[in-house]
Amino acid sequence: MQLLGSTTSPFARRLRLYLFEKEYEFVDLDIFSTEGRHILTKNNPAQKIPALIDDDFCIYDSRVIYRYLAEKYDEAKLTWLQENQLTLIDAANDTFINLLLLSRSQLDSSEDRLFYNLQHERIEQVLTALEKKAAEGEFKQWNYPAICLYCLLDWIDFRELYVLDKFMHLTSFRFTTSTYKGIKETAPY
Ligand SMILES: N[C@@H](CCC(=O)N[C@@H](CS)C(=O)NCC(=O)O)C(=O)O
C-alpha cells in the first residue's frame, strides 16, 4: 500500500498519523515539479494529494481514503457528529489552501472582493464553531477527527496563515496533543 502525499500537506499528514504504526509506503511528491506532477496526474486525474494505491487501485481524497482504511482495519464507522466535525475541519483547510494559493499567485486577499471576503468570513465562522466544539470536549479523544484538527491547526501555524491565540480551547488542544505518537515524525517543519 502506497500513500501519495507530501511532507507539508495537512491532508496527507492526517493519514500518515492514522497509518503511523501500520505497514505502508509514504511517497513524498513535489506536486509542482514535472516529475511529481506526472506521477500525481497518472494516479489521480484530480491532481490532488493524498491518494492511496492499494492492489493497483487508486483512491482519491483523504475523506474517502479514510473510509477505505477504516473498512480495511475494521474501525467503527464515523458518527454523524464526527462527519460534521470533519466537514468543518475540511472547510477550514480548503479555505486556508485557497488563501495560500492566492498569495502565491501574488493576489492580495485583504482587498474587498467577493471571493476573498467569502474565504475570510468562512474561516472566522468555522474556527469559532470548532472552538466551541473543543470547549464542549468534542476533541478529548485522540481519534481521526482529532488527528485532522491537529493537522489543520499545526499547518496554519507552519504556513503563518492565522494567529490562533483568541481561540483558547483550540490553542490548548494543539499544545496538549503536540507530544502524541507520530506528531514529531510527520511534522512539516
Ligand atoms: N479534499 C481533498 C483536498 C486535498 C488537497 O487540497 N490537497 C492539496 C495539498 S494539501 C493539493 O493537492 N493541492 C493541489 C492543487 O490544489 O492544485 C482531500 O481531502 O484529500
mmCIF file of all heavy atoms in Angstrom, residues 5-9 13 16 26 28-29 186-189:
data_model
loop_
_atom_site.group_PDB
_atom_site.id
_atom_site.type_symbol
_atom_site.label_atom_id
_atom_site.label_comp_id
_atom_site.label_asym_id
_atom_site.label_seq_id
_atom_site.Cartn_x
_atom_site.Cartn_y
_atom_site.Cartn_z
ATOM 1 N N GLY A 5 1.681 11.624 -1.237
ATOM 2 C CA GLY A 5 1.427 12.856 -0.482
ATOM 3 C C GLY A 5 2.644 13.746 -0.543
ATOM 4 O O GLY A 5 3.483 13.609 -1.424
ATOM 5 N N SER A 6 2.714 14.667 0.412
ATOM 6 C CA SER A 6 3.934 15.464 0.555
ATOM 7 C C SER A 6 4.097 15.714 2.042
ATOM 8 O O SER A 6 3.115 15.621 2.804
ATOM 9 C CB SER A 6 3.833 16.796 -0.203
ATOM 10 O OG SER A 6 2.974 17.668 0.494
ATOM 11 N N THR A 7 5.333 16.032 2.444
ATOM 12 C CA THR A 7 5.568 16.193 3.888
ATOM 13 C C THR A 7 4.851 17.432 4.435
ATOM 14 O O THR A 7 4.601 17.524 5.619
ATOM 15 C CB THR A 7 7.078 16.325 4.179
ATOM 16 O OG1 THR A 7 7.597 17.311 3.295
ATOM 17 C CG2 THR A 7 7.800 15.017 3.976
ATOM 18 N N THR A 8 4.511 18.381 3.546
ATOM 19 C CA THR A 8 3.852 19.596 4.043
ATOM 20 C C THR A 8 2.326 19.535 3.967
ATOM 21 O O THR A 8 1.657 20.398 4.538
ATOM 22 C CB THR A 8 4.329 20.821 3.221
ATOM 23 O OG1 THR A 8 4.189 20.517 1.846
ATOM 24 C CG2 THR A 8 5.771 21.184 3.537
ATOM 25 N N SER A 9 1.767 18.553 3.283
ATOM 26 C CA SER A 9 0.309 18.532 3.105
ATOM 27 C C SER A 9 -0.427 18.142 4.395
ATOM 28 O O SER A 9 -0.220 17.059 4.939
ATOM 29 C CB SER A 9 -0.073 17.540 1.998
ATOM 30 O OG SER A 9 -1.450 17.237 2.083
ATOM 31 N N ARG A 13 -0.965 14.445 5.966
ATOM 32 C CA ARG A 13 -0.443 14.181 7.318
ATOM 33 C C ARG A 13 -1.466 13.450 8.182
ATOM 34 O O ARG A 13 -1.126 12.588 8.985
ATOM 35 C CB ARG A 13 -0.037 15.505 7.988
ATOM 36 C CG ARG A 13 0.712 15.271 9.281
ATOM 37 C CD ARG A 13 1.049 16.554 9.981
ATOM 38 N NE ARG A 13 1.909 16.346 11.125
ATOM 39 C CZ ARG A 13 2.183 17.285 12.015
ATOM 40 N NH1 ARG A 13 1.662 18.488 11.890
ATOM 41 N NH2 ARG A 13 2.956 17.017 13.048
ATOM 42 N N ARG A 16 -1.054 9.966 7.358
ATOM 43 C CA ARG A 16 0.250 9.472 7.837
ATOM 44 C C ARG A 16 0.165 9.208 9.344
ATOM 45 O O ARG A 16 0.739 8.244 9.849
ATOM 46 C CB ARG A 16 1.348 10.497 7.537
ATOM 47 C CG ARG A 16 1.626 10.623 6.041
ATOM 48 C CD ARG A 16 2.465 11.829 5.745
ATOM 49 N NE ARG A 16 3.815 11.697 6.255
ATOM 50 C CZ ARG A 16 4.586 12.734 6.631
ATOM 51 N NH1 ARG A 16 4.111 13.973 6.563
ATOM 52 N NH2 ARG A 16 5.787 12.534 7.070
ATOM 53 N N PHE A 26 5.154 5.641 2.269
ATOM 54 C CA PHE A 26 4.794 7.042 2.022
ATOM 55 C C PHE A 26 5.605 7.551 0.830
ATOM 56 O O PHE A 26 6.830 7.477 0.835
ATOM 57 C CB PHE A 26 5.087 7.876 3.268
ATOM 58 C CG PHE A 26 4.868 9.352 3.067
ATOM 59 C CD1 PHE A 26 3.638 9.835 2.637
ATOM 60 C CD2 PHE A 26 5.886 10.269 3.300
ATOM 61 C CE1 PHE A 26 3.416 11.195 2.436
ATOM 62 C CE2 PHE A 26 5.681 11.632 3.109
ATOM 63 C CZ PHE A 26 4.442 12.089 2.681
ATOM 64 N N ASP A 28 6.661 10.719 -1.066
ATOM 65 C CA ASP A 28 6.723 12.170 -0.892
ATOM 66 C C ASP A 28 6.892 12.839 -2.259
ATOM 67 O O ASP A 28 7.951 12.752 -2.865
ATOM 68 C CB ASP A 28 7.913 12.486 0.031
ATOM 69 C CG ASP A 28 8.059 13.967 0.301
ATOM 70 O OD1 ASP A 28 7.107 14.720 0.032
ATOM 71 O OD2 ASP A 28 9.134 14.369 0.790
ATOM 72 N N LEU A 29 5.829 13.484 -2.749
ATOM 73 C CA LEU A 29 5.870 14.088 -4.090
ATOM 74 C C LEU A 29 5.985 15.605 -4.016
ATOM 75 O O LEU A 29 5.357 16.227 -3.157
ATOM 76 C CB LEU A 29 4.561 13.784 -4.838
ATOM 77 C CG LEU A 29 4.236 12.351 -5.221
ATOM 78 C CD1 LEU A 29 2.885 12.322 -5.936
ATOM 79 C CD2 LEU A 29 5.311 11.780 -6.142
ATOM 80 N N THR A 186 5.965 13.320 11.678
ATOM 81 C CA THR A 186 5.198 13.721 10.480
ATOM 82 C C THR A 186 5.152 15.249 10.339
ATOM 83 O O THR A 186 4.418 15.749 9.456
ATOM 84 C CB THR A 186 3.753 13.171 10.552
ATOM 85 O OG1 THR A 186 3.127 13.691 11.751
ATOM 86 C CG2 THR A 186 3.700 11.659 10.556
ATOM 87 N N ALA A 187 5.876 15.969 11.179
ATOM 88 C CA ALA A 187 5.787 17.436 11.155
ATOM 89 C C ALA A 187 6.265 17.996 9.817
ATOM 90 O O ALA A 187 7.204 17.475 9.212
ATOM 91 C CB ALA A 187 6.615 18.019 12.295
ATOM 92 N N PRO A 188 5.632 19.058 9.336
ATOM 93 C CA PRO A 188 6.028 19.639 8.048
ATOM 94 C C PRO A 188 7.276 20.508 8.142
ATOM 95 O O PRO A 188 7.758 21.016 7.131
ATOM 96 C CB PRO A 188 4.807 20.499 7.660
ATOM 97 C CG PRO A 188 4.151 20.846 8.946
ATOM 98 C CD PRO A 188 4.436 19.706 9.891
ATOM 99 N N TYR A 189 7.793 20.706 9.384
ATOM 100 C CA TYR A 189 8.951 21.602 9.550
ATOM 101 C C TYR A 189 10.145 20.854 10.094
ATOM 102 O O TYR A 189 10.024 19.734 10.527
ATOM 103 C CB TYR A 189 8.596 22.734 10.527
ATOM 104 C CG TYR A 189 7.646 22.328 11.607
ATOM 105 C CD1 TYR A 189 8.079 21.655 12.745
ATOM 106 C CD2 TYR A 189 6.259 22.548 11.434
ATOM 107 C CE1 TYR A 189 7.184 21.244 13.715
ATOM 108 C CE2 TYR A 189 5.367 22.128 12.411
ATOM 109 C CZ TYR A 189 5.831 21.484 13.554
ATOM 110 O OH TYR A 189 4.937 21.061 14.499
#
